[in-house]
Amino acid sequence: MTMGLDEITTELRVMAPLDISGHTRPRVLLDVTEALRQLKVMVFKADIITDGRSAGAGGEGGTGYAASLGATRQEVHRFLLTDEHGQSISSVKDRKVICNRVLGVLLQ
């Protein structure tokens, strides 16, 4: 029996709003991967998706979280992570450490 990606990886998503010209914060990918490297977290796979939906799309009727921010487009950086031994990061404590480190690097 082979295991799927859900069993061997942990997903981390970083959302970066696009400005009116379609640009996002520079160095998101570099900063996130550097934070993960410092924690000895391995990136199994990474994707960058530009979400072009309007704030009212997706059945929210323009009243959801995205509408309250006024964000109409965002770039979503999705990382599938493993620990240094190739195992899923199952500990809530370890996941919080990862999120706090990535957030700290992005807010510098």
Side-chain angles (χ1 to χ4, degrees), residues 65-105:
Y65 181 69
S68 68
L69 292 177
T72 57
R73 294 181 61 208
Q74 61 187 359
E75 191 172 78
V76 180
H77 298 257
R78 183 179 75 124
F79 300 88
L80 298 181
L81 309 175
T82 66
D83 65 14
E84 61 186 328
H85 305 292
Q87 301 298 312
S88 178
I89 302 163
S90 57
S91 163
V92 173
K93 178 184 172 195
D94 290 344
R95 289 179 183 196
K96 285 182 180 181
V97 167
I98 292 168
C99 288
N100 288 337
R101 175 67 63 93
V102 169
L103 184 59
V105 167

Side-chain angles (χ1 to χ4, degrees), residues 48-62:
I48 300 174
I49 303 160
T50 302
D51 183 1
R53 293 178 291 170
S54 67
E60 292 182 4

Side-chain angles (χ1 to χ4, degrees), residues 8-72:
I8 61 171
T9 62
T10 301
E11 183 177 271
L12 170 69
R13 288 186 182 215
V14 176
M15 296 183 188
L18 297 174
D19 65 17
I20 197 156
S21 65
H23 293 94
T24 186
R25 178 191 179 279
R27 296 178 44 121
V28 171
L29 185 63
L30 178 66
D31 290 344
V32 171
T33 54
E34 176 60 21
L36 296 172
R37 185 194 65 79
Q38 292 170 2
L39 294 171
K40 297 184 180 175
V41 173
M42 310 301 284
V43 177
F44 180 83
K45 181 179 178 181
D47 303 302
I48 300 174
I49 303 160
T50 302
D51 183 1
R53 293 178 291 170
S54 67
E60 292 182 4
T63 59
Y65 181 69
S68 68
L69 292 177
T72 57

